[in-house]
Every structure is written in structure tokens, then in C-alpha cells.
Amino acid sequence: LWIGGFTAIAAGARYEAVAPAAVHANAEAVDGNAATLLVPYLLVVPAFVLAVPRLLGDAPLDRGLVWNGVGVASLMLARQLADRLDNVRLVHSLRTTVTELRRRDDQLAEAQAISRLGSWEWDVDAGTIVRTDEAVRVFGLEPGSLHPGGDGLLPHVHPDDRDRVRRSVLRSIETGEPFRVDFRVTAVDGRIVHGRGRVVHDDSGRAVRMVGTVQDVTTVRRLARELEQRLAELERSNRDLAHFAAVASHDLAAPVQLLLGHLRLLSTRVRERGERTDAEMIEGAIRGAQRLEELIQDILAYSLASGGDESLRTRVDTARVARDAARAVGSDGWAASVEIGDMPTVDAHPGQVRQLFSNLLSNAFKFVPAGRPPRIRVWADRVDGVWRFSVADNGTGVPDRERERIFQMFQRGAGADVSGAGIGLAICARIVARHGGRIWCAPNPEGGSIFSFTLAEGATALFADDLVEVTGA
């Protein structure tokens, strides 16, 4: 009995199958599976029962064997109790982990339902596919309508798109590159699904699995098409408007020039007759006609700045363009007072960049008070991967409240003796916008203002109204 008991204890410590099958069948009903713990000791019980009378009497008994058995049994029982406690803690940890995984699965399912995005996994060798419930809903089907493992989603792709989807998947398996494809489904008319996936290889490089997602992008694709149509209409409208402005400006310029010619001729004749008052009235009319002519030319320049063929972009030496603009705007003496620093060569529209520097330099020159030597400085530096150009003057400066307004159409800066229609800076903002940049005005610490702008090479913006930034004092 002692030998059999020790053997059962050792077997019970290593194999729980020593317990009867009936006990294992009801193990969940017994807290801690006490039966599995106690069954190996059944043979020790009769051994103790037989040994007790002999211990009480005078019969010969190997007491060392008994106490050795008691010690071994106690150690084994302690070991099993410790293992049982570890198992209880492990079971608790596993239950906590399972609960957390279920919670995360619920969160993932909710997130997929909100985004209309489902995931799937295809076992290439077994030919089975596992997908989330949302992946089935994306195809317009109920989750329980497909076989859990064998039915794929390809039969539910629209027949006209099925071959294209199949080719994309097979090409991905052959090349190992991910695939992305849009297709329609059969269950819902007009629904567009975006599918994507990638191949998973084993250590030998063989494709064993493919994982991916499907997402309902019907609304996104519809909005994208509408946006493309709106942009096409906007571009066409802008071209028509620019063409109209150019034609109107030319048509208006002709009668204005004719009017100026007649007024000058009439002024000459009136002065020859000595009619001073009439001559002054005619001079006023001539100045009004000249201002109208300048306004027409500015409107034409603004309409031209709003367009621009991308094919006309070329490499532009901004330093040379700035020097040419300085000579064109003022006298040679004034141009010599413009300090031009190191300037880059950028990819841009040459004519528009020349117009940009001409307007900024002309604006800087006009706002330098009479009697003050102009000090104009032009330079460029690299900031956050783009070129920032700056034109600093020592003029009267721009008040804080006007730094945003001056970039709008027909908004003139402060100063009654300053000529202009208030379109020059608006043209600058439009040109900068066409080149994907922004323009702003800041005070010059040495007095005056600093007009800065950026040019994003190869970029074209659509609107300029949001590209004007005001920098406070």
C-alpha cells in the first residue's frame, strides 16, 4: 500500500488524468478541482489505517518507513497546494485577459461599424477566409448569411468588376506587393467598396496568408466626383472671367486713350488762347482720364495674375528679376539704392514673379517720405523647406489695423499724396497664391515695413483670400 500510494502521488503530481473520468467531467462544478488533488492519496489512507494499530501495539513496524512516507506525502501535498494556488492565479489572470480582449473586440467592432470598414484574412493553403461582421455588412449582407470559414467575398462582387478584383489579388500574390482596388457589389446598387490587402509569407518566402480590409466609400467617391466637377466648373469660370476682364480692359482702354488725346489737344488750344480757368478744368479731366487708364491697366494685370499656364513655369533667377524690377520701377539712382542679397533660382512663372517684385518695390518707394533717402533691402532665406522672400523699406510703415486690409482689392495705404488704385498688393497676393505661398506684412525694427512672401515650388493654390497673414507689432 505504501509503494502504491507513493506511486499514485507521483503520478497525480505529473498527470491529472489519475483522477476518475467522472471527476474530470464535473471538474468545473468543483472549486479548485479538489478531487484531482485528493484521489492519488487514496492508497495512503488504508496504509495509515493498517499502520496505526501496529504503532499502538507491540507488533514490529518500520517506523522510519512510516515517518518517511508522512514526510514525503506532506511535501507532495504542499507542492500540489502551491501549484494549485498558482493555477488559481493563472486562471484569474486568463479570465481578466479574455475579458479585456472581448472588450477590445467590441471596441474594434464598434469602430469598424462607425467607419464602415471591415477586415478579413484568407488562408491561401486551406482556401478559407475569416472576416469580421462589418466586412460582410459592407457587401450589403447579413453576418450570418455566409459560411464561417469557406465562403469568400469575391462571388458578391459585381460581375463587371469581378475579374479586375481577381487579377489584383492574384497579382499581389505573385509580386508580393499590396493591392488597392475599387469595385461595386451585387447586393446594393450603386455601392462602391474600396478593398486593399497584403500578402504574408512564411520563412521560405511562400505566400501563406493574405490580410486586408474592405470599406464602403460610396459617399466619399460621390463627393470626390462632385468636387472634381465643381473644380472644373470653377477653373472654366475663372478662365472665362479672365478672358472677359482682358477683353473688357482692352476695349475700355481704347476710348479712354482717345479721350485723353482729345483732352490734351483741347488743353493746348485753350492755353494758347489764354483761357486759364478752362485750361485748369481740362487738366482736371485729363488727370481723371489718366487715373481711369491706370485703373483699367491694373484690372488687366490682376486678371492676368489670376491665371497662368503651368507649362509656362521655368527656372527663374529671382536676384536678376529683382534688379530688373528695381530699374523698371524707379530711376537708375533710386535702383542703385536697392540692396539685393543672395537670392535663389526657383521654378515659377517669370512674368508673374517680375510683376510681384515690381509691385512690392514700387510700393516701398512710394511710401518713403519726400526728403528721406530710400533704403530698400531685398533678400531670401530658407525656412521650413520653402524660400521666404522679404522686401524691407524705411517708409512710413503700415498701421496694425491695416496690415490685412491692404492686400484686398481697391484698398490704398495711408497717405493722401500716394498715387495708385489700391490693386498692386492684391495682385501680389494673387501671384503668391498661384505659386502655393502666402504673403504678409510686418513692422521693420529700423522703421518702415517688411513685406514677406513664400513660394512653394511646383505648387499651385486655388484661392488667395486665406493666404494673407498679419503679423503684429
Side-chain angles (χ1 to χ4, degrees), residues 403-442:
R403 288 189 188 133
E404 182 177 3
R405 184 180 61 84
I406 57 176
F407 292 100
Q408 301 174 4
M409 286 282 288
F410 306 113
Q411 298 295 326
R412 301 177 58 193
D417 57 341
V418 177
S419 62
I423 302 179
L425 290 179
I427 293 176
C428 293
R430 181 64 63 175
I431 292 174
V432 170
R434 289 292 303 173
H435 287 75
R438 59 188 183 92
I439 187 170
W440 66 96
C441 174

Side-chain angles (χ1 to χ4, degrees), residues 31-43:
D31 186 16
N33 201 351
T36 305
L37 181 65
L38 298 177
V39 165
Y41 293 89
L42 293 180
L43 294 179

Side-chain angles (χ1 to χ4, degrees), residues 32 40 62 112 114 129 153-154 175 210 261 273 321 323 330 353 365 376 399 407 409 411 415 435 442 444-445 469:
D62 190 349
Q112 290 188 352
I114 293 174
I129 183 170
L153 296 173
L154 188 61
T175 62
M210 177 174 282
R273 292 199 299 265
V321 170
R323 286 193 294 269
V353 173
F365 174 70
I376 313 297
F407 292 100
M409 286 282 288
Q411 298 295 326
H435 287 75
N444 189 350
E469 178 178 313

Side-chain angles (χ1 to χ4, degrees), residues 66-381:
V66 174
W67 292 114
N68 187 42
V70 172
V72 171
S74 300
L75 291 176
M76 294 297 296
L77 180 61
R79 172 61 183 271
Q80 285 188 299
L81 289 175
D83 290 343
R84 189 64 57 179
L85 291 176
D86 289 340
N87 289 341
V88 171
R89 286 193 293 267
L90 179 60
V91 169
H92 177 73
S93 176
L94 290 176
R95 288 176 179 173
T96 303
T97 303
V98 170
T99 302
E100 180 65 18
L101 289 176
R102 288 175 178 173
R103 186 180 65 84
R104 293 188 179 182
D105 286 343
D106 293 340
Q107 291 178 344
L108 177 61
E110 183 178 358
Q112 290 188 352
I114 293 174
S115 61
R116 302 301 303 277
L117 182 145
S119 57
W120 52 268
E121 179 177 348
W122 176 34
D123 189 328
V124 177
D125 293 334
T128 59
I129 183 170
V130 178
R131 86 288 291 180
T132 61
D133 291 345
E134 190 59 32
V136 180
R137 294 191 185 97
V138 167
F139 278 76
L141 305 171
E142 291 299 326
S145 61
L146 296 180
H147 189 274
D151 292 344
L153 296 173
L154 188 61
H156 303 282
V157 176
H158 194 280
D160 296 340
D161 301 336
R162 197 171 296 161
D163 290 340
R164 180 164 52 86
V165 175
R166 182 184 293 106
R167 288 195 302 269
S168 299
V169 174
L170 294 178
R171 188 184 308 113
S172 179
I173 295 177
E174 294 173 357
T175 62
E177 298 180 354
F179 76 88
R180 306 174 70 174
V181 61
D182 284 358
F183 55 88
R184 295 164 293 173
V185 298
T186 57
V188 182
D189 291 338
R191 174 172 292 185
I192 300 176
V193 176
H194 178 71
R196 59 192 307 175
R198 65 178 181 86
V199 181
V200 179
H201 301 86
D202 59 10
D203 296 337
S204 63
R206 186 175 62 88
V208 293
R209 289 186 302 121
M210 177 174 282
V211 295
T213 60
V214 287
Q215 184 176 18
D216 183 358
V217 294
T218 306
T219 303
V220 176
R221 294 294 185 265
R222 177 177 57 81
L223 293 177
R225 286 195 299 269
E226 293 179 359
L227 179 60
E228 291 177 356
Q229 295 174 357
R230 296 290 180 86
L231 289 177
E233 293 175 0
L234 179 61
E235 292 177 358
R236 183 171 59 255
S237 176
N238 286 339
R239 288 194 300 267
D240 294 342
L241 182 60
H243 178 70
F244 170 77
V247 172
S249 298
H250 283 104
D251 291 344
L252 288 174
V256 170
Q257 291 173 357
L258 180 61
L259 176 61
L260 275 173
H262 286 293
L263 286 174
R264 290 191 178 102
L265 180 60
L266 180 60
S267 175
T268 301
R269 293 181 179 179
V270 169
R271 287 185 180 277
E272 290 175 354
R273 292 199 299 265
E275 298 176 359
R276 183 180 180 85
T277 303
D278 293 342
E280 292 177 352
M281 295 176 61
I282 294 174
E283 286 297 330
I286 291 176
R287 287 194 296 272
Q290 289 175 337
R291 180 170 175 78
L292 179 59
E293 185 180 30
E294 293 175 358
L295 180 60
I296 292 173
Q297 295 301 322
D298 287 341
I299 293 176
L300 176 60
Y302 184 82
S303 66
L304 294 177
S306 301
D309 188 355
E310 291 299 308
S311 62
L312 298 180
R313 281 180 178 267
T314 185
R315 303 300 291 174
V316 178
D317 184 352
T318 55
R320 187 180 67 180
V321 170
R323 286 193 294 269
D324 294 343
R327 285 192 293 267
V329 169
S331 62
D332 291 337
W334 177 80
S337 67
V338 178
E339 176 186 347
I340 299 178
D342 294 335
M343 306 275 281
T345 298
V346 298
D347 181 24
H349 292 274
Q352 292 185 355
V353 173
R354 186 176 296 106
Q355 180 73 39
L356 175 60
F357 278 106
S358 297
N359 288 1
L360 290 177
L361 290 172
S362 175
N363 190 72
F365 174 70
K366 288 190 299 184
F367 282 91
V368 175
R372 180 187 300 178
R375 293 197 308 272
I376 313 297
R377 189 163 65 95
V378 183
W379 75 95
D381 45 18

